[in-house]
Amino acid sequence: MAHVRRSHSAVTGDMPIIMGILNVTPDSFSDGGLYNTFDDAVDHAVHLIAAGATVIDVGGESTRPGAERLDVEMEQSRVVPVIRELVARDVPVSIDTMNASTAATAIDLGAVLVNDVSGGLADRDMPRLIAESGIEYVVMHWRGHSANMDSAAVYTDVVRDVRNELKYRIAELIIAGVRPDRIILDPGLGFAKTAHHNWQLLGRLRELETLGHRVLIGASRKRFLGELLPEGAPTRDRDPATATISALAAESGVWGVRVHDVAGTLAALETWEAWNAGRAPAPRALGSGT
């Protein structure tokens, strides 16, 4: 199965992929209820691709802080028709799920990536599925379900602790047969993390990259960004901060960013690329001396 390719910039070539978020849910923290009908979901996915998304991450279960679990049948009733239609339109699809049966169905339909916020801990069948399918797999740092994850936000050194826990998770997945080159790491911003923890993880991203795997950053519209804005500001007002994080994460060498606002993110990444191109020394004119 082919890798999810990086986006291509006209300036210097490669830059982080942009994963466009499509929540087919009534209760996600930012866009719950906006795209939970078939037509609205498909139209929004097509819009995200046109705006520059590399892959559409389709999720049917909210993982917002405090969210309760959803039964698998309901999750699949939300995501399967949308995935089937998007694949038929040649739209690259990722499935955002903790459930192996939902992931298996999405893979059968043509999904190219599984994005599992539990990193295979919520469903013991997930590692075997990933190993057997050979699909690319986002492994997020996770300490428990959304209903009680805030109580687990206790660390000695959050970057070191997250790195060590991801390292252990990688080892278990490889033992289960998952190919190392299929593993993509996500530090899990906002999942059992305070705002201070999130900023430490972002500021020290290169320490996570020493694990030798690609890194995906999902900061989009999260509550710690809301602390930068006036109280009561709508979640979409967090998009400029998200785009800035995407550019700074690109500077740190991440593989991808997961966002709601694809157009704003693409503009930020292209600005970063142009800035880097400007660092290169100008070519010498022909016949110039030394």
Side-chain angles (χ1 to χ4, degrees):
M1 184 174 296
H3 285 286
V4 178
R5 301 295 182 185
R6 284 181 182 266
S7 301
H8 181 75
S9 163
V11 179
T12 60
D14 287 337
M15 65 180 176
I17 74 145
I18 300 176
M19 181 181 285
I21 298 170
L22 179 59
N23 290 316
V24 194
T25 61
D27 55 347
S28 291
F29 77 95
S30 172
D31 54 2
L34 293 180
Y35 313 115
N36 62 338
T37 68
F38 175 81
D39 288 340
D40 287 344
V42 172
D43 288 348
H44 187 59
V46 171
H47 169 76
L48 292 176
I49 288 292
T54 313
V55 61
I56 302 300
D57 194 38
V58 182
E61 178 179 6
S62 174
T63 53
R64 76 186 193 286
E68 298 293 336
R69 290 304 312 276
L70 182 73
D71 67 79
V72 176
E73 291 75 16
M74 178 60 72
E75 178 191 35
Q76 292 185 18
S77 72
R78 293 174 177 176
V79 301
V80 166
V82 174
I83 293 173
R84 181 181 289 115
E85 179 64 19
L86 294 180
V87 171
R89 298 187 184 205
D90 294 324
V91 173
V93 171
S94 164
I95 177 64
D96 176 6
T97 186
M98 292 180 277
N99 296 309
S101 63
T102 301
T105 300
I107 292 168
D108 288 343
L109 290 172
V112 298
L113 185 148
V114 173
N115 179 19
D116 180 357
V117 300
S118 81
L121 290 170
D123 188 332
R124 63 183 182 181
D125 291 329
M126 186 71 86
R128 177 177 53 81
L129 170 68
I130 301 302
E132 291 176 353
S133 67
I135 199 167
E136 295 198 293
Y137 185 48
V138 175
V139 178
M140 198 190 80
H141 176 264
W142 189 77
R143 284 187 165 184
H145 290 289
S146 297
N148 54 19
M149 66 181 177
D150 285 350
S151 64
V154 179
Y155 302 90
T156 302
D157 177 325
V158 66
V159 180
R160 184 188 65 194
D161 293 350
V162 168
R163 184 186 183 281
N164 287 341
E165 288 171 33
L166 283 172
K167 183 178 181 180
Y168 182 77
R169 194 75 207 107
I170 292 164
E172 289 193 323
L173 289 168
I174 291 173
I175 290 170
V178 177
R179 287 170 45 186
D181 68 328
R182 294 306 194 191
I183 294 174
I184 301 160
L185 303 179
D186 180 340
L189 302 176
F191 287 80
K193 316 286 191 310
T194 65
H196 180 63
H197 294 148
N198 294 331
W199 289 119
Q200 286 185 302
L201 286 162
L202 287 168
R204 295 163 59 188
L205 272 177
R206 294 190 187 277
E207 294 179 42
L208 299 179
E209 291 170 347
T210 61
L211 289 170
H213 295 269
R214 294 167 289 166
V215 173
L216 174 72
I217 292 299
S220 189
R221 296 183 180 175
K222 290 194 172 177
R223 56 182 172 173
F224 77 103
L225 299 181
E227 296 180 9
L228 304 175
L229 301 171
E231 185 175 356
T235 55
R236 65 178 176 274
D237 286 1
R238 303 171 190 177
D239 287 341
T242 301
T244 302
I245 286 173
S246 296
L248 292 170
E251 183 72 11
S252 294
V254 303
W255 168 82
V257 291
R258 181 179 181 273
V259 301
H260 297 84
D261 175 25
V262 169
T265 296
L266 180 61
L269 291 175
E270 289 184 336
T271 301
W272 166 77
E273 286 269 292
W275 181 290
N276 280 338
R279 292 173 172 171
R284 290 188 303 170
L286 291 175
S288 63
T290 58

